Amino acid sequence: MSDQIHDRLLIIDFGSQVTQLIARRLRELSVYCEIHPYQKVDDAFLRDFAPKAIIFSGGPDSVTRAGSPRPPQLAYDLGVPILGICYGQQVMMQDLGGRVEGGKISGGGGTAEFGRAYVTPSDERIDLLTGWFLDGREQVWMSHGDHVAALAPGFAVYGTSPNAPFAITADLDRRFFAVQFHPEVHHTPNGKTLYENFVRLAGFTGDWTMSAYREEAIRLIREQVGDKKVICGLSGGVDSSVAAVLIHEAIGDNLTCVFVDHGLLRQNEAQEVVTMFRDHYNIPLIHADESELFLGELEGVTDPEVKRKTIGRLFIDVFQKYANQIENAEFLAQGTLYPDVIESVSFSGGPSVTIKSHHNVGGLPEKMGLKLVEPLRELFKDEVRALGTELGLPASFIGRHPFPGPGLAIRCPGEITRDKLEILRKADAVYIDQIRKHGLYDEIWQAFVAILPVRTVGVMGDGRTYDYACALRAVTSVDGMTADYYPFTHDFLGETATRIINEVEGINRVTYDITSKPPGTIEWE
Ligand code: XMP
């Protein structure tokens, strides 16, 4: 968002795997920051960005190599505090007149170091380290091949580890700080304190709050859109919902939401979305009930990829059909988040900068000649949730588990039939009810039932049954990229199986999926 009213911190990315975590730590401290690849940060960019402080990230390159990544000289001349991390430390030392040595050099000067290490303080304590060394030493995470061999003029050492004599260095006059380890990772348990000290000494007041963001986002949406019309595809998920409510606050009824109901939603889901948006928020909403179309086209389809492609194709066609009915629409709103737009530094293969962009309704804006409104593109997922709370969305809605675009289709391996979907909906509702009743919903990242394409023999009362088997899935995860199964107690599993078999006609066998990801995926298809 240009034209900001809050303080800004710039993270110059030199390609570390964990640069995003720096941003996470800072956002948790209510500090607004942006990550930009070093290739993009030139003098003009720096002047325009006007950072109140700068962080140099780590990176895989070696400053001893000619042509290795560097910040522009202006970064040092702006007079703002700088924190260099790992490669960022080495860059700072080399640029300012110190010396860095490469490779594994044992003894004396320092060696390559990977993993946990302990830093002990020098005699002089500095503001950056307030709250550190309370037990005499501090656990940190090291991951470096090169090391600083001679400090740049003006710098002194404030912490050492057995293999890193220059673990913490600083030029207090210029407020330049440089550390060999990674304070942003989990394995540096007190790392957040170090960031907290850095932003405090840089003068940040913690002005990045969701209520400030809300005001600013509304102003900018109005500026961008004027009196033109905006269409927003609602999925019922948190991101598109928060985007819709925010845009509606900004431009009122010039926003129309289109909710494509593909007949693959969970029990009561369509009704809940429609009630909330149309009745509670008074947002103009088209409920495109196209379940006949989707389920018709999916008849007889068993291949998971064909299912996904069919749904994707129909979704775009349907969305476009309804969007075309909205006269003078010039903008399409999307719930794109910051992790989708961070330009990551790529050192291997392809162009030097890879831009990950996420289109919920891929390709549509160009096809329909629409411009994009993406009011969440600076937020992380938990910030979207905080903004949703700020906008008054119910907590039960904001905390909902993710639900995939193709819906129940990918939880129904084999052929999708209306009967199976109905059984699946009921079983899923019982399972989620159980999880809520036991107070486990917020501990679990995602939970659902899959109905299996097998029927098994059972006995109920005195009779034989021949019904479907189902699998319960519940995982813990941070971002869905990796996941572990949730360790329910046997009591919970037993009680849930009994309830599903008693309450859901059509299921006579319940299994629990204990596969992690990898090697499994979260969804069954
Ligand atoms: P997998 O099954 O790949 O899922 O481990 C990881 C996460 O992504 C969700 N998912 C999707 N979300 N469209 C979506 O919006 C999709 O096509 C899709 N496929 C999987 C899945 O629910 C899990 O949270």
mmCIF file of all heavy atoms in Angstrom, residues 57-104:
data_model
loop_
_atom_site.group_PDB
_atom_site.id
_atom_site.type_symbol
_atom_site.label_atom_id
_atom_site.label_comp_id
_atom_site.label_asym_id
_atom_site.label_seq_id
_atom_site.Cartn_x
_atom_site.Cartn_y
_atom_site.Cartn_z
ATOM 1 N N SER A 57 18.713 -9.757 5.263
ATOM 2 C CA SER A 57 18.428 -11.157 5.582
ATOM 3 C C SER A 57 19.678 -12.014 5.403
ATOM 4 O O SER A 57 20.706 -11.550 4.911
ATOM 5 C CB SER A 57 17.329 -11.696 4.662
ATOM 6 O OG SER A 57 17.889 -12.152 3.448
ATOM 7 N N GLY A 58 19.552 -13.279 5.751
ATOM 8 C CA GLY A 58 20.594 -14.238 5.425
ATOM 9 C C GLY A 58 20.521 -14.574 3.942
ATOM 10 O O GLY A 58 19.692 -14.029 3.200
ATOM 11 N N GLY A 59 21.383 -15.477 3.509
ATOM 12 C CA GLY A 59 21.357 -15.872 2.104
ATOM 13 C C GLY A 59 22.392 -16.948 1.846
ATOM 14 O O GLY A 59 23.313 -17.138 2.642
ATOM 15 N N PRO A 60 22.237 -17.650 0.728
ATOM 16 C CA PRO A 60 23.103 -18.800 0.463
ATOM 17 C C PRO A 60 24.439 -18.461 -0.195
ATOM 18 O O PRO A 60 25.318 -19.307 -0.293
ATOM 19 C CB PRO A 60 22.249 -19.626 -0.500
ATOM 20 C CG PRO A 60 21.407 -18.629 -1.213
ATOM 21 C CD PRO A 60 21.161 -17.517 -0.255
ATOM 22 N N ASP A 61 24.599 -17.232 -0.661
ATOM 23 C CA ASP A 61 25.810 -16.904 -1.424
ATOM 24 C C ASP A 61 26.984 -16.639 -0.476
ATOM 25 O O ASP A 61 26.838 -16.690 0.750
ATOM 26 C CB ASP A 61 25.544 -15.674 -2.312
ATOM 27 C CG ASP A 61 26.351 -15.737 -3.603
ATOM 28 O OD1 ASP A 61 27.499 -16.218 -3.557
ATOM 29 O OD2 ASP A 61 25.833 -15.303 -4.639
ATOM 30 N N SER A 62 28.141 -16.354 -1.049
ATOM 31 C CA SER A 62 29.323 -16.036 -0.261
ATOM 32 C C SER A 62 29.798 -14.645 -0.643
ATOM 33 O O SER A 62 29.992 -14.361 -1.834
ATOM 34 C CB SER A 62 30.425 -17.053 -0.557
ATOM 35 O OG SER A 62 31.640 -16.611 0.020
ATOM 36 N N VAL A 63 29.969 -13.780 0.350
ATOM 37 C CA VAL A 63 30.400 -12.407 0.009
ATOM 38 C C VAL A 63 31.822 -12.406 -0.540
ATOM 39 O O VAL A 63 32.268 -11.415 -1.123
ATOM 40 C CB VAL A 63 30.327 -11.430 1.209
ATOM 41 C CG1 VAL A 63 28.914 -11.256 1.684
ATOM 42 C CG2 VAL A 63 31.226 -11.845 2.343
ATOM 43 N N THR A 64 32.537 -13.528 -0.383
ATOM 44 C CA THR A 64 33.900 -13.588 -0.920
ATOM 45 C C THR A 64 33.882 -13.790 -2.439
ATOM 46 O O THR A 64 34.906 -13.674 -3.093
ATOM 47 C CB THR A 64 34.692 -14.752 -0.282
ATOM 48 O OG1 THR A 64 34.006 -15.975 -0.577
ATOM 49 C CG2 THR A 64 34.811 -14.583 1.225
ATOM 50 N N ARG A 65 32.724 -14.105 -2.960
ATOM 51 C CA ARG A 65 32.600 -14.315 -4.406
ATOM 52 C C ARG A 65 32.343 -12.976 -5.101
ATOM 53 O O ARG A 65 31.494 -12.215 -4.662
ATOM 54 C CB ARG A 65 31.413 -15.259 -4.676
ATOM 55 C CG ARG A 65 31.341 -15.804 -6.084
ATOM 56 C CD ARG A 65 30.098 -16.676 -6.253
ATOM 57 N NE ARG A 65 28.844 -15.924 -6.140
ATOM 58 C CZ ARG A 65 28.366 -15.131 -7.105
ATOM 59 N NH1 ARG A 65 29.012 -14.968 -8.228
ATOM 60 N NH2 ARG A 65 27.220 -14.483 -6.911
ATOM 61 N N ALA A 66 33.100 -12.719 -6.168
ATOM 62 C CA ALA A 66 32.878 -11.473 -6.915
ATOM 63 C C ALA A 66 31.463 -11.496 -7.476
ATOM 64 O O ALA A 66 30.995 -12.530 -7.951
ATOM 65 C CB ALA A 66 33.899 -11.363 -8.042
ATOM 66 N N GLY A 67 30.784 -10.389 -7.378
ATOM 67 C CA GLY A 67 29.431 -10.315 -7.938
ATOM 68 C C GLY A 67 28.361 -10.841 -7.005
ATOM 69 O O GLY A 67 27.206 -11.000 -7.402
ATOM 70 N N SER A 68 28.727 -11.152 -5.767
ATOM 71 C CA SER A 68 27.709 -11.645 -4.828
ATOM 72 C C SER A 68 26.747 -10.500 -4.462
ATOM 73 O O SER A 68 27.083 -9.323 -4.586
ATOM 74 C CB SER A 68 28.376 -12.237 -3.593
ATOM 75 O OG SER A 68 29.249 -11.293 -3.016
ATOM 76 N N PRO A 69 25.549 -10.832 -3.998
ATOM 77 C CA PRO A 69 24.523 -9.805 -3.744
ATOM 78 C C PRO A 69 24.945 -8.773 -2.707
ATOM 79 O O PRO A 69 25.516 -9.124 -1.676
ATOM 80 C CB PRO A 69 23.349 -10.626 -3.197
ATOM 81 C CG PRO A 69 23.579 -12.014 -3.625
ATOM 82 C CD PRO A 69 25.052 -12.194 -3.766
ATOM 83 N N ARG A 70 24.637 -7.517 -2.973
ATOM 84 C CA ARG A 70 24.957 -6.408 -2.057
ATOM 85 C C ARG A 70 23.788 -5.425 -1.994
ATOM 86 O O ARG A 70 23.054 -5.289 -2.962
ATOM 87 C CB ARG A 70 26.179 -5.616 -2.551
ATOM 88 C CG ARG A 70 27.461 -6.398 -2.616
ATOM 89 C CD ARG A 70 27.815 -6.919 -1.239
ATOM 90 N NE ARG A 70 28.703 -8.054 -1.338
ATOM 91 C CZ ARG A 70 30.024 -7.976 -1.333
ATOM 92 N NH1 ARG A 70 30.616 -6.817 -1.225
ATOM 93 N NH2 ARG A 70 30.755 -9.053 -1.429
ATOM 94 N N PRO A 71 23.694 -4.697 -0.898
ATOM 95 C CA PRO A 71 22.736 -3.582 -0.865
ATOM 96 C C PRO A 71 23.401 -2.362 -1.492
ATOM 97 O O PRO A 71 24.628 -2.309 -1.578
ATOM 98 C CB PRO A 71 22.532 -3.363 0.636
ATOM 99 C CG PRO A 71 23.825 -3.799 1.251
ATOM 100 C CD PRO A 71 24.406 -4.879 0.373
ATOM 101 N N PRO A 72 22.636 -1.373 -1.903
ATOM 102 C CA PRO A 72 23.274 -0.155 -2.409
ATOM 103 C C PRO A 72 23.949 0.611 -1.263
ATOM 104 O O PRO A 72 23.504 0.510 -0.111
ATOM 105 C CB PRO A 72 22.107 0.647 -2.991
ATOM 106 C CG PRO A 72 20.888 0.094 -2.366
ATOM 107 C CD PRO A 72 21.184 -1.305 -1.942
ATOM 108 N N GLN A 73 24.962 1.356 -1.580
ATOM 109 C CA GLN A 73 25.674 2.144 -0.561
ATOM 110 C C GLN A 73 24.705 3.049 0.208
ATOM 111 O O GLN A 73 24.859 3.292 1.407
ATOM 112 C CB GLN A 73 26.770 2.973 -1.253
ATOM 113 C CG GLN A 73 27.563 3.908 -0.346
ATOM 114 C CD GLN A 73 28.280 3.175 0.793
ATOM 115 O OE1 GLN A 73 28.780 2.059 0.602
ATOM 116 N NE2 GLN A 73 28.300 3.781 1.987
ATOM 117 N N LEU A 74 23.677 3.527 -0.500
ATOM 118 C CA LEU A 74 22.731 4.453 0.144
ATOM 119 C C LEU A 74 22.091 3.834 1.395
ATOM 120 O O LEU A 74 21.741 4.556 2.324
ATOM 121 C CB LEU A 74 21.642 4.862 -0.863
ATOM 122 C CG LEU A 74 20.595 5.846 -0.349
ATOM 123 C CD1 LEU A 74 21.225 7.183 0.056
ATOM 124 C CD2 LEU A 74 19.496 6.084 -1.386
ATOM 125 N N ALA A 75 21.963 2.508 1.427
ATOM 126 C CA ALA A 75 21.358 1.866 2.605
ATOM 127 C C ALA A 75 22.134 2.265 3.860
ATOM 128 O O ALA A 75 21.545 2.496 4.922
ATOM 129 C CB ALA A 75 21.341 0.352 2.434
ATOM 130 N N TYR A 76 23.456 2.362 3.731
ATOM 131 C CA TYR A 76 24.289 2.715 4.883
ATOM 132 C C TYR A 76 24.272 4.225 5.142
ATOM 133 O O TYR A 76 24.576 4.677 6.238
ATOM 134 C CB TYR A 76 25.737 2.282 4.647
ATOM 135 C CG TYR A 76 25.901 0.792 4.419
ATOM 136 C CD1 TYR A 76 26.171 0.291 3.149
ATOM 137 C CD2 TYR A 76 25.780 -0.112 5.479
ATOM 138 C CE1 TYR A 76 26.340 -1.070 2.937
ATOM 139 C CE2 TYR A 76 25.943 -1.476 5.269
ATOM 140 C CZ TYR A 76 26.219 -1.955 3.996
ATOM 141 O OH TYR A 76 26.369 -3.302 3.785
ATOM 142 N N ASP A 77 23.966 4.985 4.103
ATOM 143 C CA ASP A 77 24.063 6.448 4.223
ATOM 144 C C ASP A 77 22.765 7.112 4.661
ATOM 145 O O ASP A 77 22.727 8.318 4.889
ATOM 146 C CB ASP A 77 24.497 7.052 2.874
ATOM 147 C CG ASP A 77 25.891 6.570 2.470
ATOM 148 O OD1 ASP A 77 26.628 6.115 3.372
ATOM 149 O OD2 ASP A 77 26.211 6.631 1.266
ATOM 150 N N LEU A 78 21.687 6.320 4.746
ATOM 151 C CA LEU A 78 20.398 6.933 5.108
ATOM 152 C C LEU A 78 20.367 7.387 6.568
ATOM 153 O O LEU A 78 19.512 8.181 6.962
ATOM 154 C CB LEU A 78 19.260 5.920 4.898
ATOM 155 C CG LEU A 78 18.808 5.662 3.462
ATOM 156 C CD1 LEU A 78 17.764 4.549 3.443
ATOM 157 C CD2 LEU A 78 18.234 6.928 2.826
ATOM 158 N N GLY A 79 21.268 6.824 7.374
ATOM 159 C CA GLY A 79 21.293 7.200 8.794
ATOM 160 C C GLY A 79 20.271 6.451 9.623
ATOM 161 O O GLY A 79 19.957 6.850 10.746
ATOM 162 N N VAL A 80 19.727 5.342 9.080
ATOM 163 C CA VAL A 80 18.750 4.571 9.860
ATOM 164 C C VAL A 80 19.426 3.307 10.407
ATOM 165 O O VAL A 80 20.406 2.823 9.828
ATOM 166 C CB VAL A 80 17.508 4.183 9.012
ATOM 167 C CG1 VAL A 80 16.825 5.427 8.472
ATOM 168 C CG2 VAL A 80 17.873 3.228 7.883
ATOM 169 N N PRO A 81 18.910 2.754 11.505
ATOM 170 C CA PRO A 81 19.494 1.530 12.058
ATOM 171 C C PRO A 81 19.402 0.372 11.070
ATOM 172 O O PRO A 81 18.423 0.265 10.322
ATOM 173 C CB PRO A 81 18.627 1.248 13.288
ATOM 174 C CG PRO A 81 18.003 2.543 13.627
ATOM 175 C CD PRO A 81 17.806 3.266 12.334
ATOM 176 N N ILE A 82 20.430 -0.463 11.094
ATOM 177 C CA ILE A 82 20.448 -1.653 10.234
ATOM 178 C C ILE A 82 20.785 -2.865 11.107
ATOM 179 O O ILE A 82 21.646 -2.786 11.988
ATOM 180 C CB ILE A 82 21.509 -1.546 9.117
ATOM 181 C CG1 ILE A 82 21.295 -0.280 8.271
ATOM 182 C CG2 ILE A 82 21.473 -2.785 8.216
ATOM 183 C CD1 ILE A 82 22.345 -0.080 7.179
ATOM 184 N N LEU A 83 20.073 -3.954 10.832
ATOM 185 C CA LEU A 83 20.403 -5.228 11.474
ATOM 186 C C LEU A 83 20.751 -6.221 10.374
ATOM 187 O O LEU A 83 19.940 -6.468 9.479
ATOM 188 C CB LEU A 83 19.193 -5.732 12.284
ATOM 189 C CG LEU A 83 19.306 -7.138 12.884
ATOM 190 C CD1 LEU A 83 20.444 -7.228 13.902
ATOM 191 C CD2 LEU A 83 17.985 -7.543 13.546
ATOM 192 N N GLY A 84 21.959 -6.759 10.435
ATOM 193 C CA GLY A 84 22.377 -7.757 9.446
ATOM 194 C C GLY A 84 22.351 -9.135 10.077
ATOM 195 O O GLY A 84 22.815 -9.319 11.195
ATOM 196 N N ILE A 85 21.801 -10.091 9.340
ATOM 197 C CA ILE A 85 21.668 -11.445 9.879
ATOM 198 C C ILE A 85 22.452 -12.409 8.998
ATOM 199 O O ILE A 85 22.207 -12.483 7.787
ATOM 200 C CB ILE A 85 20.186 -11.852 9.903
ATOM 201 C CG1 ILE A 85 19.442 -10.976 10.905
ATOM 202 C CG2 ILE A 85 20.017 -13.319 10.247
ATOM 203 C CD1 ILE A 85 17.959 -11.028 10.768
ATOM 204 N N CYS A 86 23.389 -13.139 9.580
ATOM 205 C CA CYS A 86 24.140 -14.175 8.894
ATOM 206 C C CYS A 86 24.805 -13.618 7.629
ATOM 207 O O CYS A 86 25.713 -12.804 7.737
ATOM 208 C CB CYS A 86 23.227 -15.372 8.609
ATOM 209 S SG CYS A 86 24.162 -16.843 8.207
ATOM 210 N N TYR A 87 24.341 -13.968 6.433
ATOM 211 C CA TYR A 87 24.913 -13.371 5.220
ATOM 212 C C TYR A 87 24.832 -11.849 5.320
ATOM 213 O O TYR A 87 25.742 -11.133 4.880
ATOM 214 C CB TYR A 87 24.158 -13.870 3.987
ATOM 215 C CG TYR A 87 24.699 -13.306 2.687
ATOM 216 C CD1 TYR A 87 25.767 -13.908 2.044
ATOM 217 C CD2 TYR A 87 24.142 -12.155 2.117
ATOM 218 C CE1 TYR A 87 26.280 -13.380 0.863
ATOM 219 C CE2 TYR A 87 24.642 -11.625 0.946
ATOM 220 C CZ TYR A 87 25.705 -12.241 0.317
ATOM 221 O OH TYR A 87 26.205 -11.711 -0.848
ATOM 222 N N GLY A 88 23.761 -11.357 5.930
ATOM 223 C CA GLY A 88 23.584 -9.910 6.108
ATOM 224 C C GLY A 88 24.686 -9.317 6.971
ATOM 225 O O GLY A 88 25.117 -8.175 6.760
ATOM 226 N N GLN A 89 25.139 -10.069 7.957
ATOM 227 C CA GLN A 89 26.264 -9.601 8.774
ATOM 228 C C GLN A 89 27.530 -9.535 7.929
ATOM 229 O O GLN A 89 28.293 -8.558 7.964
ATOM 230 C CB GLN A 89 26.523 -10.562 9.951
ATOM 231 C CG GLN A 89 27.720 -10.126 10.790
ATOM 232 C CD GLN A 89 28.206 -11.184 11.790
ATOM 233 O OE1 GLN A 89 28.336 -12.356 11.449
ATOM 234 N NE2 GLN A 89 28.474 -10.762 13.006
ATOM 235 N N GLN A 90 27.747 -10.585 7.164
ATOM 236 C CA GLN A 90 28.978 -10.655 6.373
ATOM 237 C C GLN A 90 29.035 -9.552 5.325
ATOM 238 O O GLN A 90 30.066 -8.915 5.107
ATOM 239 C CB GLN A 90 29.082 -12.041 5.743
ATOM 240 C CG GLN A 90 29.229 -13.135 6.804
ATOM 241 C CD GLN A 90 28.819 -14.507 6.316
ATOM 242 O OE1 GLN A 90 28.619 -14.707 5.127
ATOM 243 N NE2 GLN A 90 28.677 -15.443 7.230
ATOM 244 N N VAL A 91 27.871 -9.293 4.701
ATOM 245 C CA VAL A 91 27.786 -8.204 3.719
ATOM 246 C C VAL A 91 28.164 -6.877 4.371
ATOM 247 O O VAL A 91 28.939 -6.085 3.834
ATOM 248 C CB VAL A 91 26.347 -8.127 3.150
ATOM 249 C CG1 VAL A 91 26.043 -6.750 2.612
ATOM 250 C CG2 VAL A 91 26.145 -9.153 2.064
ATOM 251 N N MET A 92 27.614 -6.676 5.562
ATOM 252 C CA MET A 92 27.843 -5.399 6.239
ATOM 253 C C MET A 92 29.330 -5.229 6.571
ATOM 254 O O MET A 92 29.925 -4.173 6.349
ATOM 255 C CB MET A 92 26.991 -5.342 7.512
ATOM 256 C CG MET A 92 26.736 -3.928 7.991
ATOM 257 S SD MET A 92 25.982 -3.872 9.623
ATOM 258 C CE MET A 92 24.365 -4.458 9.355
ATOM 259 N N MET A 93 29.920 -6.301 7.080
ATOM 260 C CA MET A 93 31.340 -6.227 7.430
ATOM 261 C C MET A 93 32.194 -5.958 6.201
ATOM 262 O O MET A 93 33.077 -5.103 6.200
ATOM 263 C CB MET A 93 31.789 -7.548 8.075
ATOM 264 C CG MET A 93 31.279 -7.731 9.465
ATOM 265 S SD MET A 93 31.759 -6.361 10.526
ATOM 266 C CE MET A 93 30.226 -6.098 11.334
ATOM 267 N N GLN A 94 31.941 -6.706 5.161
ATOM 268 C CA GLN A 94 32.742 -6.564 3.933
ATOM 269 C C GLN A 94 32.567 -5.172 3.335
ATOM 270 O O GLN A 94 33.532 -4.518 2.973
ATOM 271 C CB GLN A 94 32.285 -7.626 2.929
ATOM 272 C CG GLN A 94 33.139 -7.703 1.686
ATOM 273 C CD GLN A 94 34.198 -8.797 1.831
ATOM 274 O OE1 GLN A 94 34.492 -9.239 2.932
ATOM 275 N NE2 GLN A 94 34.775 -9.202 0.722
ATOM 276 N N ASP A 95 31.313 -4.706 3.266
ATOM 277 C CA ASP A 95 31.039 -3.390 2.662
ATOM 278 C C ASP A 95 31.687 -2.260 3.460
ATOM 279 O O ASP A 95 32.070 -1.233 2.904
ATOM 280 C CB ASP A 95 29.524 -3.124 2.612
ATOM 281 C CG ASP A 95 28.853 -3.853 1.462
ATOM 282 O OD1 ASP A 95 29.580 -4.446 0.643
ATOM 283 O OD2 ASP A 95 27.606 -3.822 1.392
ATOM 284 N N LEU A 96 31.777 -2.447 4.786
ATOM 285 C CA LEU A 96 32.205 -1.321 5.625
ATOM 286 C C LEU A 96 33.677 -1.418 6.034
ATOM 287 O O LEU A 96 34.131 -0.703 6.928
ATOM 288 C CB LEU A 96 31.305 -1.231 6.868
ATOM 289 C CG LEU A 96 29.820 -0.972 6.556
ATOM 290 C CD1 LEU A 96 28.996 -0.943 7.838
ATOM 291 C CD2 LEU A 96 29.618 0.327 5.775
ATOM 292 N N GLY A 97 34.399 -2.331 5.406
ATOM 293 C CA GLY A 97 35.849 -2.342 5.623
ATOM 294 C C GLY A 97 36.371 -3.477 6.474
ATOM 295 O O GLY A 97 37.553 -3.505 6.832
ATOM 296 N N GLY A 98 35.532 -4.450 6.829
ATOM 297 C CA GLY A 98 36.009 -5.631 7.562
ATOM 298 C C GLY A 98 36.407 -6.721 6.582
ATOM 299 O O GLY A 98 36.577 -6.467 5.379
ATOM 300 N N ARG A 99 36.520 -7.940 7.088
ATOM 301 C CA ARG A 99 36.948 -9.036 6.220
ATOM 302 C C ARG A 99 36.164 -10.301 6.551
ATOM 303 O O ARG A 99 35.912 -10.607 7.716
ATOM 304 C CB ARG A 99 38.442 -9.275 6.393
ATOM 305 C CG ARG A 99 39.061 -10.256 5.389
ATOM 306 C CD ARG A 99 40.590 -10.084 5.339
ATOM 307 N NE ARG A 99 41.151 -10.029 6.678
ATOM 308 C CZ ARG A 99 41.447 -11.111 7.420
ATOM 309 N NH1 ARG A 99 41.258 -12.309 6.941
ATOM 310 N NH2 ARG A 99 41.941 -10.975 8.645
ATOM 311 N N VAL A 100 35.790 -11.014 5.477
ATOM 312 C CA VAL A 100 35.055 -12.268 5.630
ATOM 313 C C VAL A 100 35.868 -13.372 4.989
ATOM 314 O O VAL A 100 36.451 -13.173 3.918
ATOM 315 C CB VAL A 100 33.659 -12.160 4.950
ATOM 316 C CG1 VAL A 100 32.942 -13.504 4.957
ATOM 317 C CG2 VAL A 100 32.809 -11.101 5.640
ATOM 318 N N GLU A 101 35.917 -14.504 5.665
ATOM 319 C CA GLU A 101 36.631 -15.644 5.086
ATOM 320 C C GLU A 101 35.649 -16.748 4.772
ATOM 321 O O GLU A 101 34.663 -16.948 5.493
ATOM 322 C CB GLU A 101 37.690 -16.159 6.073
ATOM 323 C CG GLU A 101 38.910 -15.259 6.130
ATOM 324 C CD GLU A 101 39.916 -15.709 7.168
ATOM 325 O OE1 GLU A 101 39.625 -16.680 7.912
ATOM 326 O OE2 GLU A 101 40.979 -15.066 7.243
ATOM 327 N N GLY A 102 35.963 -17.476 3.703
ATOM 328 C CA GLY A 102 35.038 -18.523 3.279
ATOM 329 C C GLY A 102 35.437 -19.893 3.775
ATOM 330 O O GLY A 102 36.516 -20.081 4.315
ATOM 331 N N GLY A 103 34.547 -20.818 3.604
ATOM 332 C CA GLY A 103 34.856 -22.226 3.839
ATOM 333 C C GLY A 103 35.006 -22.600 5.293
ATOM 334 O O GLY A 103 34.790 -21.794 6.190
ATOM 335 N N LYS A 104 35.382 -23.854 5.488
ATOM 336 C CA LYS A 104 35.486 -24.368 6.848
ATOM 337 C C LYS A 104 36.923 -24.207 7.326
ATOM 338 O O LYS A 104 37.802 -24.966 6.939
ATOM 339 C CB LYS A 104 35.095 -25.842 6.881
ATOM 340 C CG LYS A 104 33.653 -26.068 6.484
ATOM 341 C CD LYS A 104 33.261 -27.497 6.705
ATOM 342 C CE LYS A 104 31.810 -27.677 6.286
ATOM 343 N NZ LYS A 104 31.295 -28.964 6.643
#
